[in-house]
Amino acid sequence: MFGFFLKKNFCDVWDNMFHLVILNLFLLACIAASVAFVIFSVYIPGPEEIKVLYQIVAFFIACALLGVLVFAEGENAAKIADFGTPKLKDYFLNIVPSIKDGAAFGLFIGILTAVATVSVPFYFRVWIPADGSEGSVIGLVLLMVVFWAVFITVMALQWFLPIRSIMHNPFIKCLKKCYILFFDNAGFTFALFLSNIVRLIITCFTLGIIPSINGITLANTNALRLRLYKYDWIEVNPGLTKEQLKQVPWDELLQNDKNTLGPRKLKSFFFPWKD
């Protein structure tokens, strides 16, 4: 199943390259503006303590804004994943409807980042003090708790935007389903995470042009759309045992998608007129 996901997602990115590049360039400009906004907030006149507060507020404003802009592509990603055609116009039309959930998600990511960057070093120093004195095992325990809580949350949040785009659930319900999907598909979710790491590396080499954030959004959406076939199968086959639930007939469930996608040989990407 994972192999077909990679193939379909690659084809979707290739077929919608222009759309993704344009939006990624726009998003990169917004990210640069947000970073500049946070950096230059320190130059606002006032005491040093107030300047720190300005930077914190600017950071969370930037997170909320970027969350909205990322969420605006959710509907287009769902269309692409369902073999549809995205439209740049739809992206900008979806900005306003994305404000509530996108801003909330951005703030959630900002809080998660703050917790990780503050608590992890703090508990590490409780466990192993910088001055070489004897530390406390409580620091190690709390460090492990924070690490795994953040790690599991990062894994689960890969499903958030696809759930909202495909199922159109409210924020809290999307958040609950994220964790449900993670714990029910931990192996697949981790594999998706590793593939997203590869996408981030490719993004660095392409200077943020492709696949970038919108490409990762598309990948996560493709992953959820295909994974939902499992739950459709369970719904029409009630009473399955635990052993039967492990034997998901992916070849059968993905057959229509495979037929729709077609063989897509390598030369078809560069010389489509020869097919």
Side-chain angles (χ1 to χ4, degrees):
M1 183 268 181
F2 194 77
F4 177 72
F5 154 68
L6 293 176
K7 176 183 178 180
K8 182 182 184 302
N9 193 70
F10 178 81
C11 293
D12 287 344
V13 170
W14 185 273
D15 294 341
N16 298 278
M17 185 79 70
F18 177 78
H19 173 85
L20 292 173
V21 167
I22 293 298
L23 288 185
N24 284 336
L25 289 173
F26 172 73
L27 193 57
L28 281 174
C30 293
I31 291 173
S34 298
V35 171
F37 174 64
V38 174
I39 292 174
F40 286 106
S41 64
V42 74
Y43 294 107
I44 299 176
E48 289 300 320
E49 296 80 4
I50 299 298
K51 289 183 178 180
V52 172
L53 179 61
Y54 287 158
Q55 279 200 305
I56 294 174
V57 172
F59 170 73
F60 282 108
I61 290 175
C63 287
L65 174 62
L66 293 176
V68 173
L69 296 178
V70 171
F71 269 48
E73 177 61 3
E75 296 297 323
N76 272 328
K79 287 181 181 178
I80 296 173
D82 199 29
F83 299 99
T85 303
K87 296 180 181 179
L88 290 173
K89 178 183 70 174
D90 290 343
Y91 172 82
F92 293 101
L93 290 176
N94 283 323
I95 289 178
V96 173
S98 300
I99 290 177
K100 181 181 177 181
D101 288 344
F105 185 81
L107 291 173
F108 187 84
I109 293 296
I111 293 172
L112 185 67
T113 303
V115 168
T117 55
V118 173
S119 62
V120 169
F122 175 78
Y123 290 129
F124 181 81
R125 287 309 175 192
V126 172
W127 175 38
I128 305 178
D131 59 5
S133 61
E134 184 177 356
S136 172
V137 70
I138 295 177
L140 174 60
V141 172
L142 294 175
L143 178 63
M144 292 175 63
V145 169
V146 172
F147 171 81
W148 284 111
V150 171
F151 179 78
I152 289 173
T153 299
V154 170
M155 293 291 104
L157 289 180
Q158 294 177 106
W159 299 116
F160 191 99
L161 180 50
I163 290 173
R164 179 184 179 275
S165 302
I166 295 176
M167 300 181 179
H168 302 99
N169 293 142
F171 187 90
I172 297 301
K173 195 167 185 178
C174 285
L175 197 58
K176 290 179 180 178
K177 286 187 176 181
C178 282
Y179 288 98
I180 292 172
L181 276 167
F182 167 72
F183 286 111
D184 193 41
N185 304 274
F188 182 84
T189 304
F190 184 66
L192 176 63
F193 174 74
L194 293 180
S195 71
N196 282 333
I197 293 296
V198 173
R199 291 182 186 93
L200 286 175
I201 294 173
I202 296 173
T203 298
C204 292
F205 279 104
T206 61
L207 302 179
I209 295 177
I210 201 77
S212 198
I213 296 177
N214 289 311
I216 292 174
T217 296
L218 174 59
N220 293 346
T221 306
N222 257 319
L224 177 62
R225 180 183 173 277
L226 296 177
R227 207 65 185 174
L228 287 178
Y229 286 139
K230 168 186 172 181
Y231 297 98
D232 293 337
W233 171 70
I234 293 174
E235 186 176 348
V236 298
N237 293 279
L240 294 171
T241 65
K242 289 185 178 180
E243 289 301 319
Q244 290 175 323
L245 288 173
K246 294 178 181 179
Q247 305 299 321
V248 182
W250 284 114
D251 287 339
E252 178 184 339
L253 298 177
L254 297 175
Q255 193 58 52
N256 287 336
D257 282 64
K258 290 180 178 179
N259 292 337
T260 303
L261 184 64
R264 299 299 297 267
K265 296 180 181 179
L266 184 61
K267 71 174 184 179
S268 68
F269 294 107
F270 301 98
F271 310 104
W273 59 87
K274 290 188 176 182
D275 283 356

